[in-house]
Amino acid sequence: MSGGIGRALRGAHAVPAGEEARADEMRTRVRLMIEITARAGEYRRGLVKAAGRLSPEEAVILADLEQHGLQVPQLRDVLRGGHVLVDEPALYEKWRAGKGSHPRLSSHHRDIDKKRYPDFGMRGHVVREKLHGRTAQGTWVQLEKTPAAFGGSKLPSVDDLRHLWDYLVYRFTGSNVGPWGLSRMTERRPMYLSPIVAVPTTLTPPVARQLTQALRRIEADDDTTAVSRELAARFPPPDRPDLGGELGQALSGRGGRGLFGNSEVWVTQAPSRTAAAVLRERHEPLTREHWRTGGTR
């Protein structure tokens, strides 16, 4: 029986082929991100092996962070338990509805009404225990080394005791204890993704006047350098009353540094022998006589 027929016979709630393909592609992408960051970072042993068992639910969490600006170098702190803030409230609802999500008690962001917005956890091979909740502007998330179930009528478990030990490590070192290491990015000093910083504001008349003059001067210089002065005079640009209003509109979506940000670059193949020979050559500085005669070496 082929894999496609087998999946079709799993039941009425089988995942459509297109969605399953997208989920596999997402898991593959997240696995590659983890393998790349594991090449340069110091982690607890077993990270790459755990990435091979990455579940679709775990992949969704990390892929959503990547969609909101997470870069490969920042993934290192996320895997080590860094506290992440995302200015996107919809992520809270999306993650709480995910498979395996369950209510969790936590001491994070006490200013939020926990009855209205309770915190949620989710377990996995890579995230170990994903914990997330609401903030005033969006969603917070943090990966923990050890899940805990304090509260209610349950007696403390071994995991609860280990979680308490992780808390003592946090108090002693000032670092969060994540599934694959320690991170200095705590709730007091979190990692921000997609921050809402574009707050509309008006310019004072003197500043607006100088800005408009500078923009018109730049535009005029562009016109005269692109074509001849005669053509530039015959075809002037449209007269726009508010040049300053166009600033900041050039980039759309996630315009910025890209997925790898300022990460290190590795060369995995042997260098070109020709390039190496050229780089080894010694070049003497050109003399005044060389420039006068136009000679060559």
Side-chain angles (χ1 to χ4, degrees), residues 22-132:
R22 286 192 293 271
D24 289 340
E25 183 180 353
M26 182 189 302
R27 286 202 299 272
T28 300
R29 179 181 177 85
V30 173
R31 288 193 196 106
L32 289 174
M33 290 174 60
I34 294 174
E35 291 173 4
I36 291 171
T37 190
R39 294 179 61 177
E42 294 291 336
Y43 297 95
R44 295 189 178 95
R45 286 184 293 180
L47 173 58
V48 176
K49 183 177 180 180
R53 305 170 64 187
L54 185 75
S55 68
E57 295 74 30
E58 295 175 277
V60 166
I61 302 297
L62 298 177
D64 284 342
L65 294 179
E66 189 264 322
Q67 287 294 318
H68 285 80
L70 180 74
Q71 300 165 356
V72 169
Q74 294 173 306
L75 178 60
R76 188 178 310 166
D77 269 292
V78 173
L79 295 173
R80 290 172 175 171
H83 194 84
V84 184
L85 301 181
V86 189
D87 283 342
E88 179 53 75
L91 287 181
Y92 172 81
E93 299 296 339
K94 178 181 179 180
W95 293 345
R96 73 177 291 182
K99 181 180 177 181
S101 183
H102 56 271
R104 259 286 309 270
L105 296 177
S106 83
S107 59
H108 297 292
H109 297 273
R110 298 180 181 179
D111 58 320
I112 299 299
D113 184 356
K114 299 296 183 175
K115 292 183 179 180
R116 182 180 180 185
Y117 298 114
D119 298 331
F120 287 85
M122 184 196 75
R123 300 185 183 184
H125 296 290
V126 173
V127 302
R128 292 288 180 89
E129 174 79 351
K130 180 275 304 173
L131 185 61
H132 88 275

Side-chain angles (χ1 to χ4, degrees), residues 99-200:
K99 181 180 177 181
S101 183
H102 56 271
R104 259 286 309 270
L105 296 177
S106 83
S107 59
H108 297 292
H109 297 273
R110 298 180 181 179
D111 58 320
I112 299 299
D113 184 356
K114 299 296 183 175
K115 292 183 179 180
R116 182 180 180 185
Y117 298 114
D119 298 331
F120 287 85
M122 184 196 75
R123 300 185 183 184
H125 296 290
V126 173
V127 302
R128 292 288 180 89
E129 174 79 351
K130 180 275 304 173
L131 185 61
H132 88 275
R134 269 296 306 266
T135 67
Q137 299 293 335
T139 306
W140 65 268
V141 63
Q142 180 177 316
L143 307 187
E144 296 184 337
K145 178 184 177 183
T146 310
F150 290 119
S153 57
K154 294 182 179 180
L155 295 175
S157 64
V158 175
D159 281 344
D160 290 331
L161 297 178
R162 290 173 178 169
H163 189 86
L164 180 59
W165 173 255
D166 292 344
Y167 174 74
L168 295 177
V169 173
Y170 159 75
R171 296 293 296 179
F172 182 75
T173 63
S175 300
N176 283 346
V177 181
W180 305 105
L182 303 179
S183 173
R184 301 289 293 182
M185 291 189 172
T186 63
E187 184 177 340
R188 294 184 177 181
R189 292 177 293 182
M191 176 191 303
Y192 288 95
L193 297 180
S194 300
I196 301 177
V197 295
V199 180

